[in-house]
Amino acid sequence: MTPNLLQADVLRHLTFTQGKDAPHASLQDWRLALSHAIRDRIVVPWFAATRRTWADDRKRVCYLSMEYLIGRVLEDAMINLGLYDVAVEAMAGLGLDLRALIDDEPDAALGNGGLGRLAACFMESMATLGCPAYGYGIRYENGLFRQHFEHGRQVETAEDWLAHVDPWEFTRPESAYTVGFKGQVEIRDGREVWFPEETVTAEAHDTPVVGWQGKWANTLRLWAAKGTADFDLARFNRGDYAAAAEPETLARTLSRVLYPDDTTHQGKELRLKQEFFLTSAALQDILRRYLANHGDLGALPAHVAIQMNDTHPAIAGPELIRLLSDVHGLPFDRALEIARGCLGFTNHTLLPEALEKWTMSTFGTILPRHLQIVERIDSWHRRNWPGRPHYLGILKHGEVRMGELAFIMSHKVNGVSALHSQLVKTTLFPELDAMHPGRIVNQTNGVTPRRWLRMANRPLAGLITRTLGEGWEADLDRLRGLEPHVEDAGFRADFAAAKHENKVALANWIGRETGLALDPHAIFDVQIKRIHEYKRQLLNILQTVAHWHAIRANPEAGWVPRVKIFGGKAAPGYAVAKEIIRLINDVAEVLNADPVTNGLLRVIYPPNYNVTMAERLIPAADLSEQISTAGKEASGTGNMKFMMNGAVTIGTLDGANVEILHEVGAGNFFLFGLTADEVARRREDPEHARKAIQASQPLLDVLQMIAEGRFSPAEPERYHGLVHRVWHHDYFLVASDFAAYHAMQAEVDRAYADPARWWKMAALNTARSGFFSSDRTIRGYMDEIWQTTSAL
Ligand SMILES: *Cc1c(COP(=O)(O)O)cnc(C)c1O
């Protein structure tokens, strides 16, 4: 592929796909034309992969996820196809800056945070590894809300990524399935038959996902909801326009919005309908494809592995049984065994408020046949494991428990980090684990190094290639080869220079966005993730205030300059999280305006954190904040992205931090805080917060300042509730971990003041991050859960 050929393709698409004449084309027109020209190149390996899979009758992985947090596609696709440099030249020849075209693409934000981003990384790794796979999800018209701040407060607006065409998708009106809801179950010829009262059509939209070097591509198939009833022309002709369109409008609400809450289960009817919509359409599609060249449904598990990303698609168990028995006539127990042979379940959380439960009345109204099937699954399980404790079961206290359902209907259940998988065994499903030994396995999360290192961090990727040669992107353990170089001052200087280049770029961007000037020599200290009490952004901002207070008391003490960067959204209904956002912004306003300290300490909170912002911030970070209350973060994946990019972690022994610490070594990680066991014990003391506060003068001072309205002078009592909660409730142990965190931050300053020490630590973080490639994770799923091999 030469620049000239690509240029010709772009012009052809501009003319014949966009219908635009070059002199009148907008930036967006050019971006769409380039995207189509790039997509053409993906179609070739995509078709080849599909043909190979059919010809070899290969087992396919079907990944079911309510979320895919994809971000932008164009640059990632060009890099995987090796066309980036060609595209720079081709577009320059047309008088266009490739960067501007890349930056014109909106993020596909079909997810809340880590869970959705994991699904996107997995799709890329499956394509890279040649693992034949379909990703199934929902084509939300409105993805995750946009965030901006008004007087420091989060304000949400609708996201509309589909307001313009999505150049990556192919609409497949011919691949459509009917999904039903409500209605009755009747016996016909001795068989249960479900007569739904409502139906919608699920229409497929396919996006090809190409792997590294374009050797393989899989399909991300997202379902859009459409009405099934014909448009009511009679009503329309009578002038009743709104009523004529009503069935269509109702159907479309199903794929309209992504629920913007990643940790609380609310039991909303529409959510259950969305979950069933995704799952039923996907399973119908899977069976249709299987039956196209197989007769025996009994062999389904040898040909299809279906992975449930959390319990959201856990209705897959009953729905697959229904399709196999009610529709295809297999006996119930046989259908159950086949379904279990196909299904795997990934658990993502231990937070009790996040565990999905539906009241039996909601569940039974929307899915009457499935409620019967769930009852049969539960009694089948009770019969076969007679020792099952009476308090256990899928149906308890008038509720359907989706965790138990997913566990019982899967042949493998996995946690997402070593610590988390252990806690899944000991605290979440101890009885089920004892009944089904070996079913729970661990697959520690990972992230794709193509996007998160090669694409997001060109300066460092370039240094790695110059040091190790080509090809490390698909063999990330090779980064170990950097280790001997960390003793070399020249290499360390190159490593530091790469980081500096990223920091300057970030400072320029923040300068443009906010008008604030940042010192790129300062420590860039970054905490970006959803705002949640357990993630403890509050601990970070309280420590920031303590640090400010200390600088003010002694401005000439030789402080190491620091830039504190926050990013993240709060669920719209999560009042405490929103209060924390406001506090961060209020503190930022006061600190950034303080002439005594603002050369030494800045607080920056750019709004609307998303994948694209993560790609800007992470390569520029020196310090990665991973400070959740131990035992609460299942894995984290942000922590892995930072490590790969040469940021040093300050963190607790939680989630995959434990494995990061193990890989990188204690000398290259700022560890602090209570362990998961200590957290549980500490909570038993009802006075834990008060004792911790009274033992720490800096924390006392900070809480005093906030309570006095130092950061909210127009409304001094604004944070009384928040301060009161720290004193008297503090479930997430902010007070108990404060002193250790504050002391460890001082250690960070000392380390940064010694460049030889710091850059060795930073470089070792990159060198030892190979384990956290999602390629390693996917190989684990392929071997231990999916029983499938690479087609490459
Ligand atoms: C990686 C990522 C996350 C997950 O971050 P954690 O720190 O693991 O919670 C969330 N949002 C975006 C945009 C990400 O890229």
Side-chain angles (χ1 to χ4, degrees):
M1 187 82 194
T2 65
N4 284 341
L5 281 172
L6 181 60
Q7 228 176 54
D9 280 359
V10 170
L11 285 167
R12 185 169 52 78
H13 275 294
L14 187 77
T15 310
F16 297 108
T17 309
Q18 292 305 111
K20 280 287 173 90
D21 198 9
H24 302 291
S26 65
L27 189 65
Q28 177 178 262
D29 292 323
W30 285 112
R31 194 231 327 144
L32 294 174
L34 173 62
S35 300
H36 281 121
I38 296 296
R39 189 181 70 170
D40 291 349
R41 308 281 139 185
I42 303 178
V43 168
V44 178
W46 191 32
F47 283 5
T50 308
R51 283 194 211 108
R52 276 274 291 286
T53 306
W54 280 102
D56 302 352
D57 194 19
R58 278 196 167 269
K59 186 167 185 176
R60 292 183 182 89
V61 172
C62 298
Y63 196 79
L64 268 52
S65 179
M66 285 288 279
E67 304 192 5
Y68 291 88
L69 190 50
I70 298 164
R72 290 176 177 159
V73 177
L74 175 59
E75 187 179 10
D76 190 57
M78 290 190 298
I79 285 183
N80 273 359
L81 292 170
L83 290 177
Y84 185 87
D85 294 333
V86 172
V88 172
E89 229 183 286
M91 300 320 284
L94 293 165
L96 292 156
D97 171 23
L98 181 66
R99 202 69 242 167
L101 296 171
I102 289 169
D103 286 341
D104 183 60
E105 184 176 0
D107 268 42
L110 308 183
N112 275 286
L115 174 145
R117 185 53 234 174
L118 184 76
C121 282
F122 279 10
M123 288 304 296
E124 201 273 355
S125 273
M126 288 191 284
T128 291
L129 293 174
C131 169
Y134 275 82
Y136 285 102
I138 294 180
R139 182 178 176 271
Y140 301 106
E141 280 177 54
N142 300 109
L144 186 61
F145 65 87
R146 287 208 190 96
Q147 174 199 56
H148 69 274
F149 300 132
E150 284 178 15
H151 305 293
R153 276 190 285 205
Q154 170 173 298
V155 177
E156 303 97 25
T157 54
E159 187 278 350
D160 61 348
W161 72 298
L162 284 178
H164 308 287
V165 242
D166 172 9
W168 303 105
E169 70 176 10
F170 293 92
T171 305
R172 309 282 194 211
E174 76 285 6
S175 291
Y177 299 92
T178 301
V179 177
F181 305 100
K182 305 191 176 174
Q184 331 23 267
V185 181
E186 289 172 19
I187 309 282
R188 295 283 159 93
D189 304 328
R191 262 159 73 170
E192 278 90 352
V193 184
W194 176 29
F195 294 93
E197 180 189 319
E198 295 173 9
T199 54
V200 299
T201 299
E203 182 186 72
H205 294 252
D206 289 351
T207 298
V209 179
V210 68
W212 175 242
Q213 294 185 329
K215 292 180 191 154
W216 191 266
N218 286 319
T219 305
L220 175 62
R221 173 160 278 193
L222 302 178
W223 302 106
K226 297 254 160 130
T228 39
D230 286 336
F231 181 67
D232 195 338
L233 194 60
R235 262 178 145 167
F236 186 85
N237 287 339
R238 283 198 304 273
D240 199 353
Y241 308 123
E246 204 173 87
E248 178 67 22
T249 311
L250 271 175
R252 280 183 51 190
T253 55
L254 268 182
S255 53
R256 181 82 73 178
V257 285
L258 164 74
Y259 274 87
D261 196 334
D262 57 345
T263 46
T264 345
H265 165 66
Q266 294 177 331
K268 292 274 194 315
E269 234 181 69
L270 179 62
R271 171 73 179 190
L272 180 58
K273 283 181 151 184
Q274 286 186 330
E275 294 179 352
F276 182 64
F277 171 73
L278 154 69
T279 306
S280 178
L283 292 175
Q284 292 183 61
D285 196 41
I286 290 165
L287 290 184
R288 180 207 41 85
R289 191 175 298 113
Y290 177 77
L291 290 171
N293 63 345
H294 301 90
D296 174 20
L297 282 164
L300 191 67
H303 291 87
V304 187
I306 302 170
Q307 191 66 26
M308 299 181 280
N309 194 22
D310 213 321
T311 54
H312 315 149
I315 193 65
E319 174 65 354
L320 188 48
I321 292 176
R322 185 187 71 86
L323 293 169
L324 292 173
S325 63
D326 294 8
V327 178
H328 293 283
L330 295 180
F332 181 89
D333 284 17
R334 181 88 187 101
L336 189 152
E337 276 312 327
I338 294 169
R340 275 203 52 240
C342 296
L343 290 165
F345 161 45
T346 304
N347 172 274
H348 282 271
T349 179
L350 305 164
L351 298 178
E353 65 272 27
L355 296 176
E356 281 192 302
K357 296 181 176 78
W358 300 98
T359 63
M360 279 170 69
S361 66
T362 300
F363 194 96
T365 304
I366 293 176
L367 301 169
R369 176 62 183 138
H370 298 80
L371 183 58
Q372 294 178 339
I373 293 173
V374 171
E375 281 164 351
R376 280 190 75 175
I377 295 169
D378 209 21
S379 60
W380 167 88
H381 189 255
R382 196 177 336 103
R383 233 179 18 255
N384 284 280
W385 282 268
R388 187 174 102 169
H390 63 90
Y391 55 83
L392 204 88
I394 306 171
L395 297 164
K396 281 287 152 192
H397 310 301
E399 289 180 323
V400 186
R401 302 172 172 180
M402 302 307 267
E404 279 79 357
L405 174 62
F407 189 111
I408 287 170
M409 283 307 303
S410 297
H411 68 288
K412 282 283 189 296
V413 175
N414 75 284
V416 289
S417 71
L419 174 66
H420 170 68
S421 295
Q422 201 49 42
L423 292 170
V424 169
K425 280 189 190 171
T426 55
T427 68
L428 200 59
F429 298 124
E431 302 88 353
L432 285 170
D433 179 47
M435 277 178 260
H436 305 282
R439 188 175 299 185
I440 300 179
V441 296
N442 176 55
Q443 301 299 340
T444 298
N445 284 168
V447 300
T448 167
R450 273 74 63 184
R451 178 178 289 263
W452 293 109
L453 183 49
R454 173 60 210 265
M455 179 183 112
N457 195 342
R458 255 157 230 291
L460 181 55
L463 174 62
I464 294 170
T465 303
R466 287 197 300 284
T467 311
L468 301 178
E470 312 250 318
W472 52 269
E473 294 91 338
D475 184 7
L476 208 65
D477 289 328
R478 277 185 51 201
L479 293 182
R480 285 268 171 186
L482 296 173
E483 275 194 36
H485 298 272
V486 309
E487 301 300 340
D488 167 7
F491 177 80
R492 287 199 304 270
D494 290 345
F495 197 94
K499 182 64 76 181
H500 190 76
E501 191 178 334
N502 296 325
K503 289 168 76 174
V504 169
L506 178 63
N508 289 339
W509 178 72
I510 286 176
R512 283 197 303 275
E513 296 286 309
T514 67
L516 292 170
L518 300 185
D519 170 10
H521 298 284
I523 301 177
F524 279 22
D525 168 338
V526 185
Q527 185 172 23
I528 45 174
K529 46 184 76 243
R530 284 302 282 256
I531 309 296
H532 201 287
E533 288 164 279
Y534 85 81
K535 291 179 182 276
R536 295 201 297 193
Q537 283 90 357
L538 182 59
L539 176 60
N540 188 348
I541 196 66
L542 295 181
Q543 195 276 330
T544 303
V545 173
H547 188 53
W548 172 68
H549 196 52
I551 300 175
R552 279 182 70 86
N554 190 2
E556 306 302 327
W559 301 97
V560 180
R562 222 189 254 236
V563 176
K564 283 265 177 194
I565 303 174
F566 292 84
K569 299 175 182 177
Y574 189 174
V576 176
K578 289 181 140 179
E579 207 174 9
I580 294 168
I581 288 179
R582 195 176 190 191
L583 176 62
I584 297 169
N585 281 321
D586 280 349
V587 168
E589 193 170 325
V590 172
L591 269 56
N592 293 338
D594 183 342
V596 179
T597 62
N598 69 12
L600 296 171
L601 178 61
R602 292 251 178 207
V603 181
I604 307 289
Y605 192 167
N608 204 38
Y609 174 58
N610 59 13
V611 171
T612 295
M613 193 190 290
E615 290 162 9
R616 281 184 208 286
L617 295 182
I618 292 169
D622 295 304
L623 188 67
S624 161
E625 296 270 356
Q626 308 300 336
I627 60 176
S628 52
T629 312
K632 291 292 172 192
E633 187 74 87
S635 162
T637 48
N639 47 3
M640 302 168 185
K641 301 168 196 164
F642 280 102
M643 181 198 193
M644 257 177 214
N645 283 276
V648 188
T649 304
I650 182 165
T652 49
L653 269 183
D654 201 17
N657 291 357
V658 177
E659 287 148 273
I660 289 177
L661 174 67
H662 174 78
E663 294 289 314
V664 80
N668 305 299
F669 187 111
F670 298 103
L671 179 68
F672 76 94
L674 302 171
T675 64
D677 287 344
E678 288 164 352
V679 162
R681 252 176 286 134
R682 179 92 188 149
R683 282 211 190 101
E684 285 167 14
D685 179 355
E687 298 280 274
H688 62 84
R690 190 184 53 75
K691 287 180 187 164
I693 295 167
Q694 283 172 342
S696 164
Q697 192 60 43
L699 181 55
L700 260 174
D701 292 344
V702 168
L703 292 174
Q704 181 77 24
M705 282 187 276
I706 295 171
E708 281 171 1
R710 187 73 177 266
F711 306 101
S712 54
E715 190 193 342
E717 65 285 0
R718 183 175 296 163
Y719 297 109
H720 279 186
L722 187 145
V723 171
H724 182 87
R725 274 196 308 279
V726 177
W727 273 96
H728 301 288
H729 183 56
D730 196 23
Y731 182 74
F732 295 100
L733 300 167
V734 168
S736 296
D737 272 341
F738 182 89
Y741 178 60
H742 195 39
M744 195 49 71
Q745 287 286 15
E747 181 59 24
V748 170
D749 284 342
R750 283 190 288 277
Y752 194 77
D754 175 355
R757 176 177 170 200
W758 184 271
W759 294 111
K760 187 174 157 184
M761 291 175 85
L764 282 174
N765 268 272
T766 299
R768 295 172 179 173
S769 66
F771 181 75
F772 300 104
S773 166
S774 44
D775 297 348
R776 186 268 310 147
T777 315
I778 289 298
R779 283 198 193 93
Y781 279 85
M782 289 170 75
D783 292 346
E784 290 182 60
I785 299 177
W786 300 335
Q787 309 295 325
T788 172
T789 53
S790 167
L792 287 177

